[in-house]
Amino acid sequence: MSRSTADSASSVPLPAPKERRRLREALALSEEQVAEAMGVTKATVRSWETGRSAPRGRKREAYAKLLGTPGPADPVRPEAEPRAEAEPVWSQPQAQPHPQQQPQSSASGSVRPRAAAKRAAKPPRAPSPAPAISPGPARKGPAKPPERLKPVAAEAPAEPAVPAGPPALTPEEAFDALYAHAASGLVHQTYLLTGRRGLSREAVEYAFHHAWQHWPEVAVDADPAGWVRAAAYEYALSPWHRFRRAHRHPDAPPAEADRRALLGALLELPPPYRRTVLLYDGLGLDLPETAAETEASTPAAANRLLHARTVLGERIPELAEPEALHRCLSALVAEAPTAKLPPARAVRTGSERRARSWTRAVLGMTAVLIVMTGFTAATAPTRYIPVNAPGEAVNGVPVRGGPQKLSPEDVELRDKLRSEPNPGPERLVPAVG
């Protein structure tokens, strides 16, 4: 493959990670079937759908064709292009193309999932141009050569005036806008997940530290607030916090009876179920997006949601209906947060300071290992010389073991027994008549 071909294959646009999962499920394809069609493992397909990695080269082009995304050889008609939705000003995401053609699903019964995946992975054939058919009768004899036209300078169409948009934000300003928009709400949501106010603030600060360190990736993400939310949830629900004395037990429950009952019922759920019901019923995400953020399949997320609703309905009968639970959780999530957070500038400087500290620590440990390895290589012997140790007297020899020495009586008895021809009791010896 030439360099130009590789560059064109690497520039094939792909949908957003959550959109990739939705398109695969619309095709009724499992992760195993996509992995078999692409020649990769199931874990690789899951990484593509969660946004941790992306295919490259020919696999990227084949994956785009499998999902139904038009490649570089498939021109997109202007009327088929979707209208770009307004994005938040802090994200500045790249435009993600939507699929032009919807592939056939297996619900029609005409295409099997595996056959559809393999056929979609193959490069399409270029359509042959249809011959032009003249409506009139054919002329006899040689055709008259066309007249040579003089070149005429084509007038360039006047470009419409584009209104000047808002000036582009710097990375610091975009980060500050995202922090001001989502930080306080994330602290409140994390408190509903953990029941610990200190841990919720710590998790949100960690998530924004992590986001600033990976800001080029976060800035082009389709949902930067969701990126930070996933990082905060992962940190807050880590099982290692139970070994910390400050976060071993939850805080005092709220004074309101209904909020105390709901928060207690939420904390009794396992962390994956708690996170699923909060994302679906509290934040209003759809089921594929909830499954993608929790790194689970859509059926697994649906089962978790049903189990969580059942447990919450048993604990609080007023929330047995899904609509009542949705209204209650939505109102609880939408409450005005009261947490006090450091300013965005302090978060950015703290993230940079932390990154520098870790970099220095890693460089120091690497330098120590290099010095120790070099010292060992310089002082190690090149050949083995056996050492002949001189003989030494050994003290404390134990007493000789074995049977003890016979006394004179024992020696006499032994000789007597050996001298008699018929050993044994005399009453058993036959008398000679």
Side-chain angles (χ1 to χ4, degrees):
M1 183 172 61
S2 62
R3 184 180 181 88
S4 60
T5 306
D7 295 341
S8 62
S10 301
S11 61
V12 175
L14 287 177
K18 297 178 182 179
E19 185 69 14
R20 300 170 195 172
R21 174 190 287 265
R22 190 191 67 77
L23 292 175
R24 175 179 62 79
E25 293 177 352
L27 283 167
L29 297 175
S30 63
E31 295 179 352
E32 292 83 356
Q33 293 173 343
V34 176
E36 182 180 357
M38 297 298 301
V40 295
T41 61
K42 179 181 176 182
T44 304
V45 176
R46 184 172 300 174
S47 300
W48 293 349
E49 293 182 353
T50 55
R52 293 184 176 179
S53 62
R56 298 180 179 179
R58 293 190 179 274
K59 288 188 181 296
R60 185 182 183 93
E61 184 177 0
Y63 186 57
K65 294 183 182 299
L66 176 62
L67 297 180
T69 306
D74 303 327
V76 181
R77 293 188 298 269
E79 61 271 11
E81 294 182 355
R83 300 179 63 182
E85 299 179 357
E87 296 291 341
V89 69
W90 61 81
S91 61
Q92 300 178 357
Q94 295 179 353
Q96 297 291 341
H98 291 274
Q100 177 184 358
Q101 299 177 354
Q102 293 294 339
Q104 297 178 356
S105 62
S106 59
S108 62
S110 60
V111 181
R112 295 184 178 179
R114 184 171 298 179
K118 292 184 177 180
R119 183 163 59 253
K122 294 181 180 179
R125 297 179 180 177
S128 57
I133 301 177
S134 175
R139 292 184 177 181
K140 295 182 180 180
K144 183 179 179 181
E147 298 179 359
R148 182 173 298 180
L149 301 178
K150 297 181 180 180
V152 180
E155 297 181 358
E159 298 182 356
V162 179
L169 298 178
T170 62
E172 290 79 7
E173 294 174 350
F175 178 84
D176 295 351
L178 176 61
Y179 184 81
H181 173 78
S184 300
L186 279 180
V187 172
H188 185 59
Q189 298 169 23
T190 314
Y191 169 70
L192 298 178
L193 280 180
T194 60
R196 299 165 175 84
R197 294 179 177 83
L199 180 59
S200 62
R201 289 191 294 268
E202 181 181 339
V204 172
E205 290 183 14
Y206 169 81
F208 276 97
H209 285 173
H210 198 58
W212 181 243
Q213 294 173 6
H214 300 78
W215 185 249
E217 175 186 351
V218 180
V220 299
D221 193 88
D223 185 13
W227 195 100
V228 180
R229 180 180 62 239
Y233 285 7
E234 288 290 341
Y235 182 85
L237 296 178
S238 175
W240 296 104
H241 295 305
R242 69 183 67 177
F243 299 104
R244 302 172 59 183
R245 180 176 300 179
H247 306 311
R248 188 172 300 174
H249 303 287
D251 298 344
E256 297 83 355
D258 52 351
R259 293 187 58 184
R260 182 170 62 252
L262 180 56
L263 185 59
L266 281 175
L267 294 180
E268 288 184 0
L269 292 172
Y273 296 78
R274 196 185 318 158
R275 184 177 180 180
T276 301
V277 72
L278 182 63
L279 290 174
Y280 188 83
D281 286 328
L283 298 179
L285 272 68
D286 58 2
L287 198 58
E289 291 181 353
T290 304
E293 188 161 330
T294 55
E295 297 185 0
S297 61
T298 304
N303 292 332
R304 290 176 180 176
L305 181 62
L306 292 177
H307 177 76
R309 285 178 172 177
T310 303
V311 173
L312 293 177
E314 292 176 355
R315 287 292 308 274
I316 307 175
E318 294 82 2
L319 303 180
E321 295 295 331
E323 293 296 333
L325 178 62
H326 175 66
R327 288 195 303 269
C328 186
L329 281 179
S330 299
L332 191 61
V333 170
E335 289 181 354
T338 58
K340 295 182 179 179
L341 295 174
R345 180 184 179 88
V347 174
R348 285 190 283 105
T349 55
S351 176
E352 295 170 358
R353 190 183 308 110
R354 185 176 183 178
R356 286 195 298 267
S357 301
W358 278 106
T359 304
R360 292 171 183 172
V362 171
L363 291 178
M365 291 296 299
T366 305
V368 170
L369 290 177
I370 292 175
V371 171
M372 293 179 61
T373 304
F375 178 78
T376 304
T379 58
T382 57
R383 59 190 181 90
Y384 176 72
I385 302 176
V387 179
N388 297 325
E392 296 181 0
V394 181
N395 299 325
V397 179
V399 181
R400 182 178 180 182
Q404 299 181 1
K405 188 177 181 181
L406 299 177
S407 62
E409 293 80 6
D410 297 335
V411 173
E412 183 181 357
L413 179 59
R414 184 191 63 183
D415 297 340
K416 182 179 178 181
L417 292 175
R418 290 179 179 178
S419 62
E420 294 181 358
N422 297 319
E426 295 182 356
R427 62 187 179 84
L428 298 179
V429 178
V432 180

